[in-house]
Structures are given as structure tokens and as C-alpha cells.
Amino acid sequence: AGKGKNKGLELEANYQVSDAFELYANLGLLDTEINNFSGNSNGRDQAHAPNYTFAAGGRYNFADNWFARIDVSGKDEFYFSDSHDQISQAYSLVNAKLGYVSDNWSITAWGRNLLDEEYAVRGFFFGNEPALDFADKLYTRLGDPRHIGITFEYHYQAR
């Protein structure tokens, strides 16, 4: 591409509802355009540039040193590449944590993509299958499926 335009805005808000409860929201807006491109992408959005991204959630601190957190994040559809016009789907992911934090250690049970959403993060469009007479086809790389785990952290300080 010989030229391109990018305009964006990011907003972030945190609200401390009480000593124990916090809410947050983030929003990103993006407007892009490809100009002077040698292919057929001239005048359209740039690759991997969703029009919006967002995250919202909350954290609740309860009992002594225990916390729970849940959030939703997502993004709009986007072009996979400047070399073809294949587009991803918009998606949202739900994540959560439950944990205990002390002065020098913590333990957290967590889950990412809890609803096990299937979403594409990369896309390639080309002919690769003889049975289809090598017709162009979209091949996608999917994002991570549901992950659940436990993390233990210890903070050691040398004296």
C-alpha cells in the first residue's frame, strides 16, 4: 500500500462502587483505509483493524484477601489480509478468576473463553486442495478454546 489512513479513539472508565467492588469498561474505536494499493483492496479497511474492541467487567474483594473477577471482551469483524477480501466474524469472550492474595503469595483459579467460543484470528485464502480443482478457499487459524487452570505465585525477596 502506498498510503493509508488511521483514526482512532480509546475510552477507559473505572468505577469504585465500594471498598470491595470495582467495575471497569474499555472501548476502542478505529477507522482505517488503504489507499494506492496495487490489488483490489484500495479504499477498504486495513487488515486486522476491527472497527471496535471492548472489555467490561468487575472485581469483588470479599472475606480476608479473597477476590472474584469476571469480564467480557470482544472485537468487531476485520479483514484477514490486504491480499484478499475474506472477513472474520465479530466475537466476545468471557473470562473469570477466583483467588486468594497474601503479602508474598497468591493462588488463583481462572478460566478464559469460558463459553468455549470458536473464533478465527488469522485467515488465508488460496487454492490447496486437488479435489476442489485447487479453487481458492479460506483457511483459518482459530483462537484459543476454553482454558481452565490454577496459578500459584510466590514473591521471594532476597535479604
Side-chain angles (χ1 to χ4, degrees):
K3 293 183 181 179
K5 295 180 184 177
N6 298 307
K7 296 181 285 185
L9 174 68
E10 291 183 1
L11 304 168
E12 181 177 315
N14 292 326
Y15 180 61
Q16 193 72 40
V17 177
S18 68
D19 287 343
F21 187 47
E22 177 186 9
L23 296 173
Y24 77 91
N26 301 320
L27 176 65
L29 302 174
L30 183 60
D31 181 29
T32 67
E33 184 178 327
I34 298 173
N35 296 317
N36 296 343
F37 190 74
S38 59
N40 61 353
S41 300
N42 206 31
R44 67 148 222 224
D45 287 345
Q46 296 173 13
H48 290 273
N51 290 323
Y52 66 82
T53 58
F54 70 89
R59 177 181 168 126
Y60 182 67
N61 299 313
F62 59 97
D64 288 329
N65 300 19
W66 287 91
F67 75 92
R69 178 182 175 131
I70 188 164
D71 61 67
V72 177
S73 62
K75 64 174 59 178
D76 191 18
E77 63 188 21
F78 56 87
Y79 286 98
F80 286 120
S81 175
D82 293 333
S83 65
H84 58 77
D85 289 328
Q86 303 303 307
I87 299 175
S88 74
Q89 297 292 316
Y91 63 87
S92 301
L93 305 175
V94 176
N95 309 299
K97 290 182 178 182
L98 176 65
Y100 179 85
V101 179
S102 76
D103 290 338
N104 61 349
W105 65 272
S106 66
I107 188 163
T108 306
W110 51 266
R112 291 191 295 257
N113 189 7
L114 287 173
L115 302 179
D116 204 21
E117 294 294 325
E118 188 172 283
Y119 59 102
V121 294
R122 295 283 298 162
F124 305 92
F125 189 67
F126 59 92
N128 193 41
E129 298 180 34
L132 298 176
D133 292 329
F134 295 97
D136 288 343
K137 179 180 173 183
L138 177 64
Y139 299 90
T140 57
R141 192 307 196 161
L142 297 179
D144 290 339
R146 178 187 304 123
H147 278 73
I148 296 173
I150 296 175
T151 300
F152 176 79
E153 293 182 28
Y154 180 78
H155 302 281
Y156 174 76
Q157 292 183 6
R159 294 178 191 234

